[in-house]
Amino acid sequence: MAEPKGFFPFQWVDSLEKFKFESLPPQEAFYSPLKQKGISDDDYEFCKRVRVEEGMRTMCDFLVWYNNCEVKPFLKA
């Protein structure tokens, strides 16, 4: 089974203070100017669900989860 792809609101994080936020930013914050698109409703719901299931308290916790999603496939290879 494939590992789930992670999502992160890179453009939204414009200061270190944002890593202290205790909730996800709105779905619009996941918009990527590079890709010229945001994430789907299903993907946003996935992020909310994972945040609760993994016991994340801050956006820093969410960043750790995202980084692990990106690295795990490389480690397996």
Side-chain angles (χ1 to χ4, degrees), residues 8-21 25 58-60 63:
F8 195 79
F10 291 104
Q11 297 298 315
W12 176 79
V13 178
D14 56 6
S15 72
L16 292 175
E17 292 299 311
K18 297 266 178 106
F19 289 114
K20 296 178 184 176
F21 274 52
T58 64
M59 284 303 292
C60 186
L63 176 62

Side-chain angles (χ1 to χ4, degrees), residues 6-58:
F7 305 94
F8 195 79
F10 291 104
Q11 297 298 315
W12 176 79
V13 178
D14 56 6
S15 72
L16 292 175
E17 292 299 311
K18 297 266 178 106
F19 289 114
K20 296 178 184 176
F21 274 52
E22 295 182 354
S23 63
L24 280 180
Q27 184 174 349
E28 298 79 34
F30 287 79
Y31 178 80
S32 167
L34 182 63
K35 296 179 181 178
Q36 296 185 341
K37 67 177 189 173
I39 62 174
S40 69
D41 293 344
D42 288 341
D43 291 339
Y44 188 67
E45 290 301 317
F46 169 75
C47 289
K48 292 193 314 189
R49 187 175 65 249
V50 166
R51 187 178 170 278
V52 170
E53 289 172 359
E54 297 292 324
M56 297 177 205
R57 295 182 55 207
T58 64

